[in-house]
Amino acid sequence: METYLKLLENNRKWAKEKQTHQPEFFNELAKSQTPEFMWIGCSDSRVPANQIIGLLPGEIFVHRNVANIVSHGDLNCLSSLQYAVDVLHVRHVIVCGHYGCGGICAVDQNLRVGIVDNWLRYIHDIKREYAEELSKLDDEARVNRLCELNVLTQVRNVCESTILRDAWANGKEVAVHGWIYSLDDGILRELSEVQHKPQSVVALKI
Ligand code: CO
């Protein structure tokens, strides 16, 4: 069987099983979504948001791109963030990176990959900003630290966006989190203090 046909077969089984155990599941979800969480993560196939945190369809609003970057000029990410915060009223925005990120390894080693090299310039900026700290580390520790610094930087970018600034200024309760996932053991770790207001952004553990 063609591998893609297996996917459609899996889907039929999954939908049938859901319908059997929770007959109202799809009816309820079809009406609206009210997720409490937003996830901004890497596109890496090994870090699927719902699966690693045990959430069902409808429970987390997801935006993923290569190396989980939140760029101030990225209309795609900002649109997702604004929709999540202002329309869906999520209570938590989670920026999640992961160790062993291919995009970050490429930056660490100055590799040329393709078009993505331009996207990864944002990580080169972080590498330059923390060059002194990174220069003291061995190869493995250095790339791991760059993965962490990237998460912390993207948390800061979320917090400094007009979306979060306006939300907080209007008294909205929304928290921003920085997490990192380890491919080795499947465990998520909190990297930054939970951010509740713009003033607390300095509390990032950079
Ligand atoms: Co990655």
Side-chain angles (χ1 to χ4, degrees):
M1 187 193 286
E2 293 276 3
T3 49
Y4 79 92
L5 289 174
K6 181 75 184 155
L7 306 186
L8 296 171
E9 191 183 300
N10 288 348
N11 167 257
R12 299 289 186 282
K13 278 188 199 156
W14 172 78
K16 197 175 169 190
E17 200 176 295
K18 272 270 164 251
Q19 207 114 42
T20 308
H21 292 104
Q22 288 172 264
E24 287 305 305
F25 185 76
F26 293 112
N27 288 343
E28 288 300 319
L29 275 186
K31 285 181 207 153
S32 68
Q33 58 168 336
T34 52
E36 187 182 342
F37 309 97
M38 177 182 185
W39 177 274
I40 300 174
C42 183
S43 300
D44 195 304
S45 63
R46 299 166 294 181
V47 196
N50 287 65
Q51 228 166 327
I52 62 173
I53 48 178
L55 291 185
L56 293 168
E59 293 183 324
I60 190 161
F61 190 75
V62 174
H63 175 84
R64 290 168 70 180
N65 62 41
V66 172
N68 44 276
I69 292 168
V70 179
S71 155
H72 299 305
D74 178 12
L75 202 54
N76 185 355
C77 182
L78 295 180
S79 300
S80 303
L81 182 62
Q82 194 257 328
Y83 188 77
V85 172
D86 292 348
V87 181
L88 297 176
H89 309 295
V90 297
R91 304 294 296 269
H92 302 271
V93 176
I94 299 159
V95 176
C96 184
H98 67 104
Y99 294 117
C101 182
I104 291 176
C105 291
V107 171
D108 178 64
Q109 293 159 36
N110 289 311
L111 295 179
R112 283 294 304 272
V113 183
I115 291 288
V116 76
D117 299 338
N118 299 285
W119 177 245
L120 293 172
R121 293 312 304 178
Y122 295 113
I123 313 284
H124 278 279
D125 294 342
I126 300 168
K127 182 180 165 183
R128 195 180 307 116
E129 191 180 345
Y130 296 98
E132 196 186 331
E133 177 188 341
L134 292 167
S135 69
K136 294 173 187 149
L137 304 172
D138 65 27
D139 288 356
E140 195 185 346
R142 188 180 61 243
V143 74
N144 283 345
R145 185 61 182 151
L146 191 52
C147 290
E148 293 176 354
L149 291 169
N150 179 45
V151 170
L152 296 172
T153 302
Q154 307 315 330
V155 167
R156 189 169 57 201
N157 287 347
V158 169
C159 295
E160 290 179 350
S161 69
T162 54
I163 301 156
L164 268 291
R165 285 183 179 279
D166 288 350
W168 283 326
N170 292 328
K172 190 161 218 163
E173 285 193 21
V174 52
V176 182
H177 308 254
W179 293 358
I180 195 152
Y181 179 76
S182 173
L183 298 172
D184 295 331
D185 58 11
I187 299 295
L188 282 165
R189 292 173 177 84
E190 288 189 85
L191 268 186
S192 67
E193 306 286 346
V194 180
Q195 309 294 311
H196 294 284
K197 51 186 187 294
Q199 294 91 321
S200 68
V201 174
V202 289
L204 290 176
K205 295 175 192 164
I206 288 184

